[in-house]
């Protein structure tokens, strides 16, 4: 079962949130790369940034059906697993719930953030959801969604200004989040990953190279064959595998002694 309770709170083991704390580039491209490289088929990207979506325009799609139609259907308690009915497949073979531009996305994001974990999981069925929530702000709907997630990935550059911003927010993040918190380092910087992980006490899940072509493909600005072999998509795929492998594995039911003997006969 995807949902389980920790104290009085719920956590969704099939929900992964990607965000930043301040102006970190690469959140949307990493989220796209995670879905494209997820080890198991069926992962869906939700463009849940309250500031509105960009992917529809970049990939030449209309944002409806998408995040708004899914939020409305989930609020009404429609059929389980209706997520895919509202997703659109982009040319990267990635299924996405597209958000409209501007302020229209806010209501849909708030519905998913504050409607309760059961509403969101009922609508998603058994799908793994990767959410791009944009900037995580104290009291915002992005943080409320992150509080439901089994994994939260913060994207930051390994520079003093970016890491200081992350460090300043770790206190209330650790109080709010119940899942695993990770850092994804975007681009070059003077500080190595091991030093950052030690000083901030946050595991670094991976490093994203400066790859203009790979970023352009994942962001919908460029089209090209063989994009999976580019450096940035490959790095995102490696992060997807690490996040997947870090999840608790279902317990294997014990085999009765008599049944074991029967198997070996």
């Amino acid at each position: 079962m995807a949902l389980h309770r920790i104290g009085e709170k719920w956590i969704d083991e099939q929900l992964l949130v990607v965000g930043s704390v301040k102006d970190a580039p690469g959140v949307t491209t990493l989220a796209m790369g995670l879905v494209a490289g997820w080890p198991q088929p069926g992962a869906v990207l939700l463009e849940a940034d309250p500031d509105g979506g960009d992917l529809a325009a970049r990939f030449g799609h209309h944002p409806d059906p998408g995040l708004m139609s899914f939020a409305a259907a989930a609020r009404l308690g429609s059929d389980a697993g209706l997520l895919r009915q509202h997703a659109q497949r982009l040319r990267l073979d990635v299924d996405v719930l597209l958000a409209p531009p501007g302020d229209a996305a806010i209501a849909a994001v708030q519905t998913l953030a504050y409607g309760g974990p059961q509403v969101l999981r009922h609508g998603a069925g058994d799908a793994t959801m990767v959410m791009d929530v944009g900037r995580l702000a104290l009291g915002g709907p992005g943080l409320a969604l992150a509080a439901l997630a089994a994994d939260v990935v913060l994207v930051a550059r390994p520079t003093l200004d970016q890491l200081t911003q992350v460090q300043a927010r770790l206190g209330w993040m650790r109080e709010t989040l119940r899942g695993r918190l990770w850092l994804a380092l975007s681009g070059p910087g003077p500080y190595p990953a091991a030093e950052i992980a030690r000083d901030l006490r946050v595991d670094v899940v991976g490093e994203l190279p400066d790859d203009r072509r790979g970023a352009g493909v994942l962001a919908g600005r460029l089209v090209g064959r063989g994009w999976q072999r580019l450096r940035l998509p490959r790095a995102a795929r490696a992060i997807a595998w690490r996040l997947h492998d870090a999840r608790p594995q279902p317990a294997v039911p014990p085999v009765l002694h008599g049944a074991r003997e029967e198997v070996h006969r």
Side-chain angles (χ1 to χ4, degrees), residues 90-234:
L90 305 186
R91 60 175 173 263
L92 302 181
D93 204 27
V94 172
D95 291 331
V96 181
L97 259 65
L98 296 168
D103 296 336
I106 294 176
V109 174
Q110 290 177 335
T111 294
L112 298 179
Y114 304 122
Q118 292 87 351
V119 171
L120 181 58
R121 178 44 58 187
H122 178 78
D126 61 355
T128 294
M129 295 180 289
V130 177
M131 282 192 177
D132 168 12
V133 300
R135 190 169 70 90
L136 288 169
L138 187 61
L143 185 63
L145 288 168
L148 302 175
D151 294 283
V152 178
V153 179
L154 292 178
V155 180
R157 287 197 176 277
T159 57
L160 182 60
D161 58 329
Q162 284 269 304
L163 297 174
T164 301
Q165 294 290 347
V166 171
Q167 186 178 42
R169 293 162 172 81
L170 283 177
W172 54 259
M173 280 194 179
R174 289 192 171 108
E175 291 179 359
T176 305
L177 304 180
R178 293 175 288 279
R180 296 170 287 274
L181 180 62
W182 309 84
L183 270 178
L185 302 177
S186 177
Y191 306 105
E195 181 179 329
I196 293 170
R198 181 198 67 203
D199 291 348
L200 296 184
R201 293 185 294 117
V202 179
D203 287 335
V204 174
V205 71
E207 298 178 69
L208 303 171
D210 269 345
D211 175 13
R212 294 181 63 184
R213 188 178 173 206
V217 170
L218 291 176
R221 298 188 183 97
L222 298 176
V223 179
R225 294 181 180 179
W227 60 269
Q228 298 93 335
R229 297 190 296 271
L230 297 173
R231 290 186 301 146
L232 183 56
R234 283 167 46 203

Side-chain angles (χ1 to χ4, degrees), residues 12-17 121 129 131 145 148-151 247:
D12 190 329
E13 282 293 345
Q14 290 179 256
L15 174 60
L16 162 64
V17 162
R121 178 44 58 187
M129 295 180 289
M131 282 192 177
L145 288 168
L148 302 175
D151 294 283
R247 293 184 168 189

